[in-house]
Amino acid sequence: MSSSPGKDQIQNGIKEIYNTVLSTKNITARYIAILALASLWLDAYDFASMSFATASLENTFPNVSSLLISFSIGVIDLGALFGAIIGGWLNDRIGRRNMFILNMILFIFMAILGGFSTNIYELTVFRGLLGFALGADTATGFTYIFEYLEREQRLFWSNLWQLQWYIMYLVTIGFILLPFYFIEHSLTTPILWRVIMIVGGVIAAVILGFRSKIPESVLWLAYQGKLATAKKIIKKTYGIDLPNVPDVDVFIRPVGKGVKSAFSIFKASKWRELVYSFNGNFEQGFIFYTFGFYIPYILLALKLVGPLASLEALSILYTGGIIGGYLTAWLTPRIGTKSQYVIGAVGEGTSVGLIALTYILHLPVQYFVFFSFLFFFFHVIGPASQGMTSINTFFGTAERGTAAGWGYSWVKLAALIGLLIGLAGVKINPIGMTLGLAAYGIATGILGLFIGYDTRKYKLEDIAELTEKPQKV
């Protein structure tokens, strides 16, 4: 009868598992990245489709105020704000895979129930809970990518998240909204928003089916001491045997359970990392939802173009996001994330400043569209991509879910504030608003230049955290 492995054997086994995952290229990287960040597809789908469904909701509930209609649509961001924080924290406690499954189940039920809402209050509650699932799932997705892929692969694939978002936006217009229009000859019929909600639930069900086959994060298992389970996953995923790793599942690093653990990432030693990541995430959400979100409204309300030309212009602008989304991943191993953070933020701010110039000089609409194209391009290259990649680099397995949740919560907090003040800014003082946003974007780039980090060169927190003293085996 063999004796139980000692503490040193278990510690060495954990290190071997970590080194195997972080140094072995994963041939399923594309598949995993798409599945892990599937919440972004759902987020973009809801954003694109519901932005065209306001009139449909108004026709369904004619006696409801415009403010309440808008809140029922935008409450998804409020739910996502809390979902990111709470879901990210749960991530570190019950596991990445479990959260993947629970998030999609919640989304499916809330989307379908929302589609059958009998009043605006029911819809608001269902969409708020749906947003909770999206926020929690986005935090889970980034965490999973960083613990499933090799250290260079995870930087590349996590930086593709904006590309996925913009592609899904255009797919929603081309394959959901346009076919509906050709069938119903209208985008204002009361059934549109119900179809949007239910189709979202169907998409989530498909995602759930694929996700049911993915394994738990190997690093999350190994960190706690579940070596036997981690070995089996590595054998199945990579085809690699690890004979020196003990075949035991023990608990040597149980995670914190109290409320205090939800704030564990806020450390004085990490202030630069937190300010760099959080401000980048807030900046990208604030500028997008204060200005970028209202570009279609600006084109139509100011009668710069007609409805069809507005759709065409929007497609051109979002193509800038797609180009930037792919380019930022391609540039990551070449010039790093900090360079892109700075270049993108300054370029984004400059683009918005040029848009202010079109207001001041009353330039033709072509200038507005071109500068807006540049805005989306630099927006995606800059903090929009680098913020989430950075915050996941700055923390190891023990706190990565919590960190990712807090990181994404700043995106959603900025979205809420931007949506509330953006329309007023566009109507009352568009020059002042765009100049202010331009200054904020450029200031973010300058701040990033002085306090930021290139994630390629940042210490590998996954390995560093293994030096923490484990409990007695």
Side-chain angles (χ1 to χ4, degrees), residues 276-303:
Y276 175 70
S277 301
F278 289 172
N279 182 60
N281 285 343
F282 186 88
E283 184 264 1
Q284 67 105 337
F286 186 71
I287 291 185
F288 181 88
Y289 282 95
T290 304
F291 171 72
F293 175 80
Y294 288 107
I295 287 179
Y297 173 84
I298 294 170
L299 293 172
L300 290 172
L302 299 183
K303 298 182 179 179

Side-chain angles (χ1 to χ4, degrees), residues 136-185:
D137 204 71
T138 301
T140 307
F142 278 102
T143 302
Y144 193 84
I145 283 178
F146 265 74
E147 294 173 4
Y148 189 86
L149 302 181
E150 182 263 347
R151 60 183 302 180
E152 292 182 3
Q153 282 184 312
R154 64 189 192 178
L155 294 179
F156 175 87
W157 286 103
S158 64
N159 255 2
L160 279 176
W161 77 284
Q162 288 282 331
L163 174 65
Q164 295 190 54
W165 196 95
Y166 280 92
I167 287 176
M168 189 59 183
Y169 186 98
L170 295 179
V171 167
T172 300
I173 292 177
F175 292 92
I176 301 295
L177 295 174
L178 283 179
F180 184 91
Y181 178 80
F182 288 135
I183 294 172
E184 290 288 327
H185 305 292

Side-chain angles (χ1 to χ4, degrees), residues 248-287:
V248 294
D249 279 342
V250 295
F251 291 91
I252 61 173
R253 291 187 179 93
V255 293
K257 302 292 184 182
V259 174
K260 185 179 179 181
S261 62
F263 302 90
S264 63
I265 68 166
F266 295 95
K267 308 166 185 175
S269 61
K270 292 279 190 181
W271 76 267
R272 286 179 58 185
E273 290 90 334
L274 294 174
V275 172
Y276 175 70
S277 301
F278 289 172
N279 182 60
N281 285 343
F282 186 88
E283 184 264 1
Q284 67 105 337
F286 186 71
I287 291 185

Side-chain angles (χ1 to χ4, degrees), residues 68-141:
L68 193 51
I69 291 287
S70 297
F71 183 72
S72 70
I73 295 175
V75 72
I76 190 172
D77 286 319
L78 181 62
L81 168 63
F82 289 102
I85 296 173
I86 298 172
W89 178 79
L90 285 172
N91 234 311
D92 292 331
R93 269 118 208 108
I94 68 174
R96 312 344 183 175
R97 185 181 184 278
N98 288 333
M99 284 301 295
F100 271 149
I101 302 302
L102 292 174
N103 293 335
M104 281 301 104
I105 290 175
L106 178 60
F107 187 99
I108 292 168
F109 279 102
M110 293 305 104
I112 293 174
L113 288 172
F116 289 100
S117 297
T118 59
N119 57 64
I120 197 68
Y121 302 103
E122 290 178 359
L123 179 63
T124 300
V125 171
F126 292 140
R127 283 186 58 78
L129 292 171
L130 182 150
F132 185 96
L134 280 181
D137 204 71
T138 301
T140 307

